[in-house]
């Protein structure tokens, strides 16, 4: 059996490439040169699979040019940048990683929440307070809640 060829979009991190190389299955991994439709069309003809991030638009035109591709994997949450209907028509499976970046998004959300609660940005910009001198007003009893039950929104709650 021939070694599967997997095309990697430019936004796919080197860590993913390392993970694939260390998986124990021989793979011919090829980095795509760019994110435009023309870049993808020039590079994907003989790929068995495609892994893309958020920047690569996998349009119906790109999908029509995929010769033997059987899977398009979106590295990250969501598949907005993949024409799923066109992929389905060509018998190509489309996947994503729904748990991608949950911890990172969770931590960032808490950091933004605290910055809002302490009014760090507007006070620092106004000159009334400075993070460098640690002179911002103390506020307590600030109500806080979660307006979503999605996976990324639940993560900060689980960590408290």
């Amino acid at each position: 059996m021939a070694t599967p060829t997997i095309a990697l979009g430019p936004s796919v991190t080197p860590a993913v490439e390392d993970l694939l190389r260390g998986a124990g299955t021989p793979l011919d991994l090829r980095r795509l040169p760019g994110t435009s439709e023309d870049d993808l069309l020039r590079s994907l003809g003989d790929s068995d699979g495609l892994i893309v991030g958020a920047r690569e638009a996998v349009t119906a035109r790109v999908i029509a040019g995929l010769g033997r591709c059987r899977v398009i994997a979106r590295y990250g949450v969501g598949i907005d940048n993949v024409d799923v209907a066109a992929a389905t028509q060509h018998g190509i499976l489309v996947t994503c990683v729904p748990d991608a970046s949950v911890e990172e998004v969770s931590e960032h959300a808490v950091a933004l929440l605290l910055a809002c609660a302490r009014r760090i940005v507007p006070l620092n910009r106004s000159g009334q307070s400075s993070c460098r001198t640690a002179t911002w007003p103390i506020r307590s009893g600030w109500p806080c809640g979660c307006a979503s039950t999605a996976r990324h929104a639940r993560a900060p709650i689980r960590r408290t």
Side-chain angles (χ1 to χ4, degrees):
M1 183 170 151
T3 301
T5 301
I6 309 296
L8 304 174
S11 62
V12 175
T13 64
V16 172
E17 190 171 346
D18 293 343
L19 182 69
L20 291 168
R21 289 194 192 285
T25 302
L27 297 171
D28 179 10
L29 300 177
R30 298 182 186 173
R31 267 277 160 203
L32 298 174
T35 60
S36 73
E37 255 189 353
D38 290 334
D39 288 334
L40 297 176
L41 282 167
R42 276 193 298 274
S43 308
L44 289 175
D46 64 345
S47 296
D48 297 296
L50 170 61
I51 301 176
V52 295
R55 295 186 314 219
E56 299 85 10
V58 187
T59 62
R61 181 173 165 235
V62 170
I63 290 168
L66 295 173
R68 63 182 201 218
C69 184
R70 291 293 149 239
V71 63
I72 299 169
R74 163 66 168 89
Y75 171 62
V77 177
I79 50 176
D80 297 354
N81 58 324
V82 179
D83 188 329
V84 177
T88 302
Q89 286 178 340
H90 287 85
I92 299 173
L93 176 68
V94 178
T95 69
C96 69
V97 184
D99 288 333
S101 303
V102 169
E103 293 303 315
E104 292 85 352
V105 171
S106 166
E107 290 168 3
H108 193 69
V110 170
L112 291 173
L113 187 66
L114 292 172
C116 288
R118 295 291 183 195
R119 300 179 345 132
I120 290 173
V121 174
L123 287 172
N124 195 46
R125 282 187 181 156
S126 72
Q128 297 173 8
S129 174
S130 172
C131 293
R132 291 177 290 283
T133 60
T135 56
W136 54 83
I138 302 298
R139 295 172 61 188
S140 62
W142 192 66
C144 178
C146 179
S148 173
T149 58
R151 177 180 295 114
H152 287 72
R154 286 191 317 260
I157 296 166
R158 284 194 313 269
R159 295 179 70 165
T160 57

